[in-house]
Amino acid sequence: MEALRFGTFLAPSVLPVYQAVTSAVGNALGIPVRLADETSYASYLEDRNDVSFVCSLAHIVFERRSETSAIPVAAPVLTDPRYGGAPIYFSDVIVHRDSPFHSFEDLRGRSWAFNETLSHSGYGITRYHLLQLGEVDGFFGNVVKSGLHSASIGMVANHAIDASGIDSHVLAVAMRDKPELADRLRIVETLGPSTIQPVTISSRIEPQLRSDITEVLLSLHDDPAVAVALAHGFVERFAAVGPESYDDIRGMLDACEAADFMEVA
C-alpha cells in the first residue's frame, strides 16, 4: 500500500509531537506513513498531504478561497490547567523582563515581531485585538516579520524587538528547553483563548479510512508509550473537532475584513 502522507505546518519545536502521532497512526492502522516538515503552504493548496497539522487561520483563509477541502477532525488538548481540558490555546504577549512595559497598551509606538501573516496566534488575534481597542491607524512604531515564533522569542530575549505575540504551546516548550528564558522574558498580556490548530484530513480520503484515522487520533493517549511522547510535548490527548469548532477564529477574521483592517501596524 502507498504510504499515507502526513504534513506539519506548525512550529519546529512541536515537531516531535507530530512525529509521534504520525507513527502511532501508522502502527495502529498497519499502514506505511511518512511525515513532511513543510516550509510553505504549497502542498496544502495542492492537496498533497492526506493528513495535515495546520494553523487554523491558514486553513480558514484557504477554505474561503476554495483552495482546500481538508476537514478538521481533531485537535490537541494541552496539559496545563489553564486550558481547562479543552482544545484551546492562547497568544502570550512577551516583552523583555527588564523592559518598562506592563500591558499591551504600554506597547504603543514600540516595535513588534510576528512569525507570519497566516498565523492566528502570531498575527490574526493581534490584528483582532487592535481592532477591539479601536487602534486601526497605526499602533506599533515598527512591525517586523520574523518567520518563526522561535525567532520572535529570540528577538525579544535579546532586546532586538520590544514585544511579540507567541503561541502559548510553543512558548511553553521554549521555556522548558531553554530555562534561561525565564530570566529574560515576561508575559504582559494573554490574548484568547482560541480553538487550537486542527488535524485535518483531505476530503479525497475515503470516509472509512478518514473515520479510522480520526478514531486513532482520539485514542492515542490510551497507549502508554504514545502518551509519554505526547506529554513531553505538553499534549494530554486529542479531542474531536469539526469545521464549526473554528467559528471563533472565523468571527475574528470576519470582523477585521468588515472593518477593512487586515494589516497589523
Side-chain angles (χ1 to χ4, degrees):
M1 180 178 180
E2 186 176 345
L4 202 63
R5 177 179 165 125
F6 289 65
T8 177
F9 300 85
L10 303 180
S13 61
V14 296
L15 178 61
V17 168
Y18 294 106
Q19 288 172 327
V21 170
T22 300
S23 296
V25 172
N27 291 337
L29 298 181
I31 297 175
V33 295
R34 59 193 178 99
L35 174 66
D37 186 8
E38 305 286 9
T39 57
S40 80
Y41 284 109
S43 63
Y44 201 67
L45 298 175
E46 295 167 7
D47 195 27
R48 282 188 245 149
N49 296 320
D50 302 306
V51 182
S52 296
F53 311 111
V54 63
C55 180
S56 49
L57 180 59
H59 171 76
I60 289 167
V61 168
F62 298 144
E63 175 188 69
R64 287 189 169 184
R65 296 176 186 165
S66 298
E67 292 176 312
T68 181
S69 56
I71 304 164
V73 298
V77 174
L78 303 181
T79 55
D80 194 282
R82 75 189 291 202
Y83 303 106
I88 60 173
Y89 74 140
F90 300 90
S91 178
D92 287 328
V93 178
I94 59 168
V95 300
H96 197 281
R97 182 165 291 278
D98 296 338
S99 76
F101 315 121
H102 297 281
S103 70
F104 189 92
E105 286 75 8
D106 288 343
L107 299 174
R108 182 187 302 279
R110 301 294 181 168
S111 57
W112 177 268
F114 69 94
N115 57 335
E116 59 159 329
T117 57
L118 287 173
S119 167
H120 176 68
S121 60
Y123 198 85
I125 199 167
T126 304
R127 179 174 59 199
Y128 179 72
H129 187 62
L130 289 169
L131 177 63
Q132 293 300 102
L133 293 175
E135 297 287 355
V136 296
D137 295 317
F139 179 79
F140 299 113
N142 186 34
V143 177
V144 176
K145 180 180 178 180
S146 71
L148 291 168
H149 277 305
S150 58
S152 298
I153 292 170
M155 293 168 78
V156 175
N158 293 320
H159 283 297
I161 210 87
D162 289 318
S164 183
I166 306 296
D167 175 324
S168 58
H169 186 194
V170 173
L171 184 60
V173 172
M175 299 290 277
R176 190 268 316 278
D177 291 346
K178 297 183 177 181
E180 66 273 14
L181 288 175
D183 295 326
R184 301 165 75 181
L185 300 177
R186 280 187 292 113
I187 297 172
V188 295
E189 190 106 14
T190 293
L191 308 181
S194 305
T195 310
I196 199 167
Q197 303 100 329
V199 184
T200 66
I201 300 179
S202 172
S203 60
R204 63 181 160 69
I205 299 300
E206 60 96 12
Q208 185 57 58
L209 179 55
R210 192 187 314 152
S211 176
D212 291 345
I213 295 169
T214 302
E215 184 177 342
V216 173
L217 290 170
L218 301 182
S219 62
L220 287 173
H221 59 286
D222 292 331
D223 182 322
V226 178
V228 168
L230 295 180
H232 183 70
F234 301 128
V235 174
E236 175 187 316
R237 60 187 174 87
F238 281 78
V241 298
E244 70 286 348
S245 302
Y246 295 89
D247 284 348
D248 57 335
I249 297 171
R250 287 189 186 89
M252 296 182 209
L253 180 57
D254 286 343
C256 291
E257 287 180 339
D260 194 26
F261 180 60
M262 297 301 294
E263 185 175 345
V264 170

